[in-house]
Amino acid sequence: MTTTNYLLLALKLFSVLGCGLIAGVFFAFSTFGLDTLPTGHSGTTFGQ
């Protein structure tokens, strides 16, 4: 393998690991974080 192939392999590996890490953060937030948010009254949103 040439140096370019090794660099592309490393780039692919880091991108896959980064995507997995971000997906895990989103999953953890949706599992634990959304339960702790206040629900508010019916008919209201965060922007109002």
Side-chain angles (χ1 to χ4, degrees), residues 19-43:
C19 288
L21 180 67
I22 295 299
V25 168
F26 284 148
F27 174 74
F29 177 73
S30 68
T31 302
F32 302 113
L34 291 180
D35 293 336
T36 62
L37 291 174
T39 56
H41 300 289
S42 62

Side-chain angles (χ1 to χ4, degrees), residues 3-35:
T3 305
T4 306
N5 287 341
Y6 283 121
L7 289 174
L8 287 175
L9 179 64
L11 181 64
K12 289 177 188 178
L13 181 65
F14 286 134
S15 64
V16 166
L17 291 175
C19 288
L21 180 67
I22 295 299
V25 168
F26 284 148
F27 174 74
F29 177 73
S30 68
T31 302
F32 302 113
L34 291 180
D35 293 336

